[in-house]
Amino acid sequence: MITVHVDTPGGRYPIHIGPGRLDHLADSLPADTTSVALITNTTVAPLYAARVERALARTGKPVVRVELPDGEVHKDWQTLNQIFDALLQNGIDRQAVLVALGGGVIGDMSGFAAASYMRGVRFLQVPTTLLAQVDSSVGGKTAINHPLGKNMIGAFHQPVAVEIDTDALATLPDRELSAGLAETIKYGMIADADFFDWCEASVDALLRRDQEAIITAVRRSCEIKARVVSQDERESGVRAILNFGHTFGHAIEAGLGYGEWLHGEAVGCGMVQAAELSARVLGLPRADADRVRALVDAIGCPVRAPDFGLRRWLDLMRVDKKTRGGELRFVLLPAMGRAEIHTVPEGVLADVLEGTVARESS
Ligand code: NAD
Ligand code: GLY
């Protein structure tokens, strides 16, 4: 087992990474836990919930299962309220721990439920998608979507631990694996050029889920994310670099309707667009922008964005937490492995959008 530490004002906690971690979740429950609410969904429950319940039952604490509908479209008030209904109906008290078993949607919603139930209870992240293992389970961002914007309602709330069972990825659909690889290669682009090189060289191993390659990718991603959020828990500065590709990506998700493209697919395409913008605004070498496009393509994510038209693109992108006084700000790469936040001239942005959207061939 590998352990990576996160150290923020909101909490210091371990990330445990390795095969078989689902059987050891009891190790991460605080000693004074009164009961456990296992929050999962209708896809993950038949695969892993009984096993996790057995592991948690070893603590002797009661375990209540809360099974939610699956999908990004359900990351909303109605589903969040289902969690609160179940917690209240089952008498879950303030010393309880919520266990989030699933992908980023379950992790984000359970975390927000934990942040607000009885003004805050503890929660344990047990991510079962690659995207959640390399990104969403770490760092304490929790949220639901609003029809007008992605992750717009939420809170910072750190988990007591993150338990990553890399074996759980065996059942993940290929498309979800590709979406998770998009967030994985992001870390190379923004913080570690050697890791980007390694991802390029390891793409086949990653796509065939070679255990050693997957563990290396998850560990390096968690190390980089842990370092960034430990420096800036609340995104007042450096943490925003983790949003590379997300201004474009969130616009794609909202513009097409949540769930049409997977979050990771939208981010993958958004990184291609952000790399193009970096080449135009900061002089990122063309060869590096091309490498970004080639790697996003190689992991199986789209590299051409939907054609919403300039006006709608700008409206969609303005609903972004980095926007200040109506002015769009982008995470850009001055060089491979480094990231900075910049405003950009609208004309350049328009050119980049024009050059990166998919056009019907006539
Ligand atoms: P997801 O949670 O929708 O999971 C993808 C699909 O895989 C779902 O159908 C899920 O039920 C299924 N699944 C999960 N584990 C499985 C397994 N082991 N085997 C088979 N199927 C499995 O999507 P995601 O990509 O994990 O997460 C995306 C969400 O994460 C988005 O809502 C995004 O906004 C959020 N996110 C949050 C942060 C953060 O810092 N909090 C960071 C990145 C993304
Ligand atoms: N996924 C971006 C962040 O955690 O800050």
Side-chain angles (χ1 to χ4, degrees), residues 286-304:
R286 164 98 331 255
D288 284 335
D290 290 345
R291 286 174 74 198
V292 169
R293 175 186 300 273
L295 189 53
V296 170
D297 195 29
I299 61 170
C301 285
V303 293
R304 285 258 155 216

Side-chain angles (χ1 to χ4, degrees), residues 41-122:
N41 70 26
T42 49
T43 303
V44 177
L47 296 169
Y48 301 113
R51 185 171 153 201
V52 164
E53 280 162 350
R54 272 196 303 278
L56 292 168
R58 276 187 218 123
T59 60
K61 318 285 182 197
V63 180
V64 168
R65 190 192 297 188
V66 183
E67 214 171 289
L68 303 174
D70 185 12
E72 185 75 37
V73 285
H74 297 293
K75 191 178 171 184
D76 60 10
W77 273 117
Q78 284 74 21
T79 315
L80 183 71
N81 220 23
Q82 277 188 44
I83 301 179
F84 295 137
D85 288 348
L87 299 182
L88 289 165
Q89 282 157 5
N90 286 284
I92 298 295
D93 68 28
R94 239 186 179 165
Q95 289 298 110
V97 173
L98 311 194
V99 174
L101 174 71
V105 169
I106 284 292
D108 279 14
M109 271 197 304
S110 307
F112 188 33
S116 43
Y117 183 67
M118 295 195 176
R119 300 200 185 90
V121 295
R122 295 166 295 185

